[in-house]
Amino acid sequence: MKRYFHGTAAIMKLYMRQNRVFTLVWLLLPGLWVAINTISSLVLFPTQEALVEMGVTLIDPLTVAIHGPLLDVSVAGFVTWRTKVFLVLLSGIFSIIYVMRHTRLAEEQGRRELLGANVTGSLSPFAAALLNMLLINAAAAVLALLGMTALGLDFTGSLAHCLGFFAAACVLGLVAGLVAQFFEGASAARGTSFGFLGLLFALHILWNVSGGNSLAAYLNPLEWPLLIRPFAGERFSVLLISLAITILLAALSLWMTHQRDVGAGLIPQREGRAFAKPGFRSLSALAWRTQKGLFLSWLIFYALFSFALGCASYLMVSAVSSAEALAELIARLGGVDRAFMSLMLYIVSMLISVYVLMSADILRQEETAKGELLLSLPVRRSRFATGHLVYILGGSAALALVSGLCVGLGAMIGTGDQSALSRLFFETAGKIPAIWAFGGISMLLFGALPRWMSGLSYGLLVLFVLLEILWEQQAVSDAVYALSPFSWVTPLKVAQPPSALVLLCAISALLAALGIILFGRRDAAMH
Amino acid sequence: MSVIEIRGLKKRFGKTVALDGVELSVPGGGIYGFIGPNGAGKSTTIRMLLGLLKKDEGDVRLLDGDPWRDAVELHKRLAYVPSDVQLWDNMTGGEVIDFLGRLRGSYTKKRRAELIERFDLDPTKKCKTYSKGNRQKVLLISAFVSDVELQILDEPTTGLDPLMKTVFQQCVREAKDAGKTVFLSSHILSEVEAVCDTIGVIRAGRIIEQGSMEELRALISQQEPPTLETLFMNYYRKDDERGT
């Protein structure tokens, strides 16, 4: 045993000392989520009648597709029903990332080699990663259990709920540990693990929609929190299946680790192309190569998120109707759901500004890391910058337009209101000038103060968001708030002059052009 | 006719003086060894030649042009290998070679295949899986694959194994035989001694010695023991004495 597991405890401690913020979020979020849901449910449904009423309204296809059937009409039953999918996905994703980081990624980056060269057993680093993952999930489940019982929910049901998501998260982490054995590249292994989770989720929705009680559902971790029936005649025996799968996965992946060389995989790394594609011959093509990962992942996320938001928009009618602060907005836009959507789109546009800054950061990183090489070629500096500007401005505009389209489509399907599509699409499109202002600011900083670019641009974004909050609390005047690009597209102000949008675009273009000119005149490729 | 001509070149970064009146002349059609300790100003000089940095004072001519103003035109006629090799993680070595070659505009498939064979590189691997030596090979192939008048190489062999260093030296000599100029910055003195025709020594932002290998050999013979190493160490010491 010593040969295999010596030093496991020491490595566990070492892992625990790394990524503490990540671990803390993973540890606290499930409990917080359950607590928030419990408190809001207690407030929303003070009586059993209110619950019964709500229980009926909640049976719409979308909600059932995600959450499955409501097993017990009570606050406890409602909370477990609403939180279980999110809890499994959340802890599952954290577990996958954690296990992958300490297995395949560590091997790829050479950290595993360093551990293996020390006085450690051959399986210790892997065993430590799995044990820590189990421990953190267990602690998160205990915290959630404490939260639920402290808020007055019944112990047995709470225990079932927490054990359900604990078992599911652990199995997902163990799956990642097994997948890590197959691939040489960490990104391929991570992609396969998340792909598997996506498949399980698709099956989960399929079963919910068809209403079928497939026996195979007992093998899908996402079903366990439902099958364990918290607060509805708990069936703890489901956990025997989880336990069996856990032992099987752990044993199999440990055996495979034992069999293979460090760094090797069963599936060899895919070979790349020996020759570049004929079209890969310009700085624009290179900019696409470096920007596409960020752009496509944001595009897919925003398309899905916006569509879901649109679909769910009509559920908001009852949810936020009592918010008095929004009374004026609600009156102006004609309905709580419209006001809610306007605010959501406004927040989405603020988030897309983060994309602008990240995309501009790629330009700066390309300059510091590869600028020396690239600018030794017969290329203009301005072409180097504009190649990326296409993604900073065009990419963010595409994100806004796709978000608008998807939210509109979702709302059209969800409410049957045909006018929702064009209304929400153009409303989102109207935010683009404010998003572009951050592109202009970033480019100016890139040309003028490259070393401070990242810090200053993120700092400004935070400042503008703070101005927003302070203005809403009437702590700053309209004149100060007008400094923020967001103030010109906010739905909270009555009728904005259309010329403001044109002016924002003009200023953004001017700042970007100035930044590119300054970049042409400054020392390049300096760290 | 000289390919590079630098007169009284100065460059400051904030309070740090990086170049303090560099005087340098590289004759065409030979191998110029540019040596000096870390932080002496080798890379800064090269970055000035590439038009990446703006001069504070002095005069720089490169291939009869101004490296700052005529950067795009001049870069068609030169190839450069940086000392700190960073490549694109998601591209293969083959893709990098093709991409750089296409942008530079002067390379052939035949020459590419020949160099990949000589440097023994697997062009299908992603750059992130290459070792430092292999990344250097990618850029060396990409430089030698181009039919250009001037090669600027900044410490290009630090990660290469002895066999590849030999291949590198052959490539450099072939370039010289083809009438091209090689500007080789290095602190591997044996390599400089083996291939260079002219040598310039930079120390604290100034050229403290410049001459042909023959002239330098005369200086070396006065050292005890008579090696380039000793001569180099003596330059070091002189500078320390000056400092104190």
Side-chain angles (χ1 to χ4, degrees):
Chain A
M1 280 312 260
K2 197 170 169 177
R3 197 181 129 205
Y4 298 123
F5 296 107
H6 184 77
T8 304
I11 299 175
M12 283 169 73
K13 265 189 229 159
L14 175 76
Y15 288 167
M16 282 294 184
R17 293 168 66 122
Q18 296 164 12
N19 314 104
R20 289 188 219 195
V21 176
F22 173 90
T23 312
L24 197 69
V25 173
W26 177 11
L27 208 57
L28 296 180
L29 213 52
L32 275 177
W33 185 247
V34 177
I36 289 168
N37 270 275
T38 311
I39 293 167
S40 68
S41 302
L42 287 169
V43 173
L44 270 172
F45 318 122
T47 60
Q48 184 68 19
E49 287 76 45
L51 247 178
V52 173
E53 207 177 294
M54 194 68 186
V56 177
T57 61
L58 279 170
I59 302 173
D60 71 81
L62 182 78
T63 319
V64 171
I66 292 172
H67 298 293
L70 177 60
L71 295 176
D72 181 46
V73 184
S74 68
V75 166
F78 183 74
V79 168
T80 48
W81 175 71
R82 277 310 283 244
T83 55
K84 63 183 187 320
V85 175
F86 180 74
L87 288 180
V88 173
L89 287 180
L90 179 88
S91 343
I93 288 169
F94 271 94
S95 304
I96 291 173
I97 294 173
Y98 189 83
V99 170
M100 214 41 97
R101 177 183 291 152
H102 291 302
T103 54
R104 199 39 95 170
L105 195 65
E107 280 180 64
E108 194 178 86
Q109 295 176 342
R111 278 180 284 130
R112 171 66 181 78
E113 222 169 280
L114 208 62
L115 283 179
N118 214 308
V119 191
T120 53
S122 57
L123 298 177
S124 305
F126 183 55
L130 295 185
L131 284 173
N132 271 3
M133 185 269 295
L134 294 175
L135 272 180
I136 298 170
N137 273 322
V142 168
L143 286 177
L145 179 64
L146 287 177
M148 286 174 83
T149 45
L151 287 164
L153 302 186
D154 177 50
F155 177 79
T156 315
S158 303
L159 182 68
H161 184 53
C162 294
L163 281 175
F165 86 79
F166 164 72
C170 290
V171 165
L172 289 171
L174 284 163
V175 166
L178 184 65
V179 169
Q181 308 307 317
F182 287 87
F183 297 93
E184 269 178 44
S187 53
R190 200 185 298 115
T192 307
S193 304
F194 283 124
F196 183 71
L197 179 60
L199 180 76
L200 292 180
F201 191 64
L203 282 172
H204 169 77
I205 288 180
L206 192 75
W207 287 328
N208 281 339
V209 170
S210 63
N213 251 342
S214 165
L215 263 183
Y218 284 90
L219 295 177
N220 185 346
L222 280 165
E223 311 299 327
W224 295 339
L226 180 77
L227 292 170
I228 203 168
R229 298 186 69 86
F231 302 104
E234 291 82 2
R235 280 193 308 198
F236 286 103
S237 53
V238 173
L239 291 174
L240 289 175
I241 299 171
S242 322
L243 188 67
I245 295 179
T246 302
I247 292 170
L248 191 75
L249 284 173
L252 188 60
S253 50
L254 280 168
W255 179 75
M256 283 180 71
T257 310
H258 174 61
Q259 291 295 315
R260 68 179 176 87
D261 295 337
V262 170
L266 287 180
I267 298 165
Q269 186 131 34
R270 216 158 34 111
E271 291 212 329
R273 45 178 66 246
F275 295 90
K277 282 184 189 164
F280 190 50
R281 50 170 63 249
S282 66
L283 287 179
S284 316
L286 183 67
W288 167 242
R289 255 329 245 283
T290 46
Q291 294 269 359
K292 73 174 174 185
L294 178 74
F295 176 68
L296 291 177
S297 51
W298 275 65
L299 190 73
I300 291 166
F301 175 78
Y302 272 90
L304 293 175
F305 173 75
S306 308
F307 184 71
L309 182 70
C311 285
S313 61
Y314 70 104
L315 289 174
M316 303 306 157
V317 178
S318 51
V320 286
S321 57
S322 60
E324 276 176 39
L326 303 172
E328 188 269 335
L329 178 67
I330 291 165
R332 183 154 48 82
L333 293 173
V336 182
D337 52 337
R338 289 194 177 192
F340 176 78
M341 290 312 283
S342 283
L343 280 178
M344 285 307 286
L345 290 178
Y346 183 48
I347 292 168
V348 164
S349 69
M350 285 179 164
L351 289 175
I352 294 177
S353 323
V354 178
Y355 167 84
V356 169
L357 302 188
M358 289 171 80
S359 176
D361 273 346
I362 293 181
L363 165 63
R364 173 67 183 146
Q365 281 158 16
E366 280 287 292
E367 194 223 340
T368 50
K370 292 121 188 171
E372 213 180 325
L373 180 61
L374 281 175
L375 296 176
S376 77
L377 299 167
V379 295
R380 286 187 193 289
R381 287 196 193 180
S382 55
R383 285 288 304 120
F384 172 65
T386 49
H388 287 268
L389 193 62
V390 169
Y391 298 95
I392 299 172
L393 298 184
S396 55
L399 284 178
L401 293 177
V402 167
S403 295
L405 189 70
C406 289
V407 88
L409 274 176
M412 202 171 79
I413 292 166
T415 61
D417 175 9
Q418 302 291 326
S419 70
L421 178 59
S422 65
R423 178 171 55 84
L424 291 168
F425 177 76
F426 286 113
E427 186 172 345
T428 320
K431 312 286 187 221
I432 292 174
I435 296 170
W436 278 356
F438 287 91
I441 292 169
S442 294
M443 286 309 284
L444 178 68
L445 289 171
F446 175 68
L449 293 166
R451 257 170 247 193
W452 301 87
M453 167 188 165
S454 195
L456 275 181
S457 53
Y458 279 99
L460 274 175
L461 178 64
V462 171
L463 181 74
F464 291 148
V465 171
L466 280 177
L467 272 184
E468 176 80 30
I469 296 167
L470 290 175
W471 175 77
E472 280 169 31
Q473 296 169 349
Q474 301 183 332
V476 298
S477 66
D478 277 13
V480 176
Y481 179 47
L483 289 174
S484 160
F486 295 128
S487 71
W488 300 96
V489 297
T490 178
L492 295 166
K493 262 185 167 179
V494 196
Q496 303 277 1
S499 57
L501 296 186
V502 179
L503 192 67
L504 264 183
C505 288
I507 291 173
S508 311
L510 198 72
L511 293 181
L514 193 62
I516 292 172
I517 291 170
L518 287 174
F519 171 54
R521 294 177 180 206
R522 71 166 163 88
D523 290 345
M526 299 288 295
H527 286 276
Chain B
M1 193 207 81
S2 55
V3 168
I4 298 170
E5 200 64 53
I6 300 179
R7 293 277 157 261
L9 181 63
K10 291 192 179 176
K11 177 73 183 174
R12 249 168 260 111
F13 296 114
K15 282 180 185 163
T16 324
V17 179
L19 301 182
D20 190 16
V22 171
E23 305 270 338
L24 190 151
S25 171
V26 178
I31 304 170
Y32 186 95
F34 192 43
I35 58 181
N38 293 325
K42 295 195 297 289
S43 291
T44 304
T45 307
I46 289 176
R47 286 167 178 207
M48 302 289 257
L49 289 173
L50 292 170
L52 293 169
L53 305 181
K54 215 159 50 169
K55 65 187 178 195
D56 290 337
E57 266 176 62
D59 190 37
V60 188
R61 301 291 291 170
L62 174 83
L63 298 167
D64 286 325
D66 176 344
W68 178 261
R69 212 188 51 226
D70 313 324
V72 179
E73 281 308 307
L74 291 177
H75 290 180
K76 287 180 188 160
R77 299 160 62 191
L78 65 84
Y80 168 60
V81 176
S83 60
D84 184 17
V85 183
Q86 296 196 46
L87 300 173
W88 295 268
D89 280 354
N90 61 354
M91 279 163 67
T92 63
E95 282 180 300
V96 172
I97 292 167
D98 284 343
F99 177 76
L100 297 176
R102 283 167 185 170
L103 274 190
R104 208 176 275 129
S106 52
Y107 89 123
T108 60
K109 281 234 164 96
K110 185 171 161 285
R111 181 104 178 107
R112 178 193 194 271
E114 185 196 314
L115 281 165
I116 284 181
E117 167 87 36
R118 281 171 77 180
F119 276 102
D120 192 26
L121 179 85
D122 180 353
T124 63
K125 287 270 185 297
K126 300 268 177 183
C127 288
K128 72 171 167 191
T129 62
Y130 282 136
S131 63
K132 179 172 164 55
N134 275 322
R135 289 200 302 273
Q136 257 170 341
K137 285 199 242 170
V138 170
L139 289 190
L140 283 172
I141 292 170
S142 132
F144 287 123
V145 88
S146 302
D147 183 19
V148 289
E149 296 161 52
L150 173 64
Q151 300 276 358
I152 298 180
L153 313 172
D154 193 359
E155 295 172 20
T157 61
T158 42
L160 296 185
D161 62 48
L163 194 66
M164 287 305 135
K165 279 184 182 154
T166 316
V167 175
F168 166 76
Q169 291 181 7
Q170 279 168 6
C171 286
V172 170
R173 288 203 185 93
E174 281 166 24
K176 177 191 165 184
D177 293 343
K180 294 164 182 174
T181 311
V182 180
F183 185 87
L184 173 65
S185 157
S186 177
H187 43 215
I188 301 171
L189 299 175
S190 58
E191 184 176 274
V192 171
E193 214 172 351
V195 296
C196 293
D197 306 308
T198 320
I199 283 178
V201 183
I202 188 168
R203 172 76 187 142
R206 285 165 182 268
I207 303 293
I208 52 173
E209 193 70 63
Q210 184 170 237
S212 68
M213 204 59 214
E214 282 79 46
E215 288 168 333
L216 220 63
R217 287 222 171 84
L219 280 174
I220 290 170
S221 64
Q222 295 164 15
Q223 310 296 320
E224 190 53 48
T227 61
L228 182 58
E229 234 92 15
T230 330
L231 182 65
F232 198 66
M233 290 302 182
N234 279 338
Y235 286 135
Y236 249 87
R237 212 166 298 140
K238 268 184 209 161
D239 214 78
D240 283 348
E241 281 159 17
R242 224 176 289 149
T244 50

